[in-house]
Amino acid sequence: MSDLAVQGATIVEHKIKGTTSVLWSMSYALEHEPHATDDAVMHYLNDIVVDKNTDFVRMGIVDINGKARITDGRVLDVSDKTFFQKAVQDEEYISSEVWQPSDEEADNIVIAVPVHDQQGAVKAVLYGIIYTADLQP
């Protein structure tokens, strides 16, 4: 039984690493976008979520002040959220705890990465939400 648990944990770890890699790739692509939070970027993020080749159920881009535009159409202030605070400090963030928003039935994990400008300064935060159920081996 312990071998199965180890294999399951390894699969989940690989899925999270793959999802994080997707975010980093997108972050590098956004480096050359002068306005990382504009409508074209939101359209791009929505296409990624709809495509279903990723585990993202929702994605968002956050400006340096904490204003998040989310692929479900909402605009939120996330300046007090840990994922934003870590990523805006130039750190990758993968939630260590499961999170369940009050308006959802599913548990989530948040993954966030910084988006840099061409001089290397953080200009935005890119994040994705995945359901923990989608991580099951």
Side-chain angles (χ1 to χ4, degrees):
M1 187 69 153
S2 67
D3 285 345
L4 266 171
V6 169
Q7 288 175 352
T10 301
I11 290 169
V12 168
E13 181 181 359
H14 286 298
K15 283 185 173 188
I16 289 173
K17 282 183 180 179
T19 304
T20 305
S21 248
V22 168
L23 281 180
W24 276 113
S25 295
M26 294 170 64
S27 172
Y28 296 137
L30 291 172
E31 183 176 304
H32 302 286
E33 288 292 325
H35 304 287
T37 60
D38 69 8
D39 290 340
V41 172
M42 290 310 299
H43 181 73
Y44 172 65
L45 295 181
N46 195 54
D47 285 349
I48 298 296
V49 170
V50 171
D51 184 25
K52 298 296 181 199
N53 281 335
T54 69
D55 288 319
F56 296 119
V57 293
R58 207 167 39 258
M59 295 182 77
I61 187 89
V62 189
D63 70 17
I64 203 73
N65 298 311
K67 179 182 172 186
R69 292 187 66 192
I70 308 168
T71 53
D72 64 8
R74 292 182 293 165
V75 175
L76 300 173
D77 178 3
V78 297
S79 60
D80 64 335
K81 303 296 182 201
T82 304
F83 77 85
F84 171 75
Q85 293 170 353
K86 292 288 188 183
V88 83
Q89 293 299 317
D90 209 13
E91 296 178 34
E92 173 184 285
Y93 176 83
I94 301 170
S95 58
S96 57
E97 296 181 4
V98 219
W99 168 62
Q100 184 178 18
S102 57
D103 61 340
E104 292 185 21
E105 294 180 20
D107 291 336
N108 299 308
I109 290 179
V110 180
I111 301 172
V113 298
V115 177
H116 299 99
D117 62 20
Q118 292 181 338
Q119 288 72 42
V122 176
K123 68 175 181 178
V125 169
L126 177 65
Y127 73 97
I129 306 287
I130 53 178
Y131 288 148
T132 56
D134 293 340
L135 295 173
Q136 302 302 320

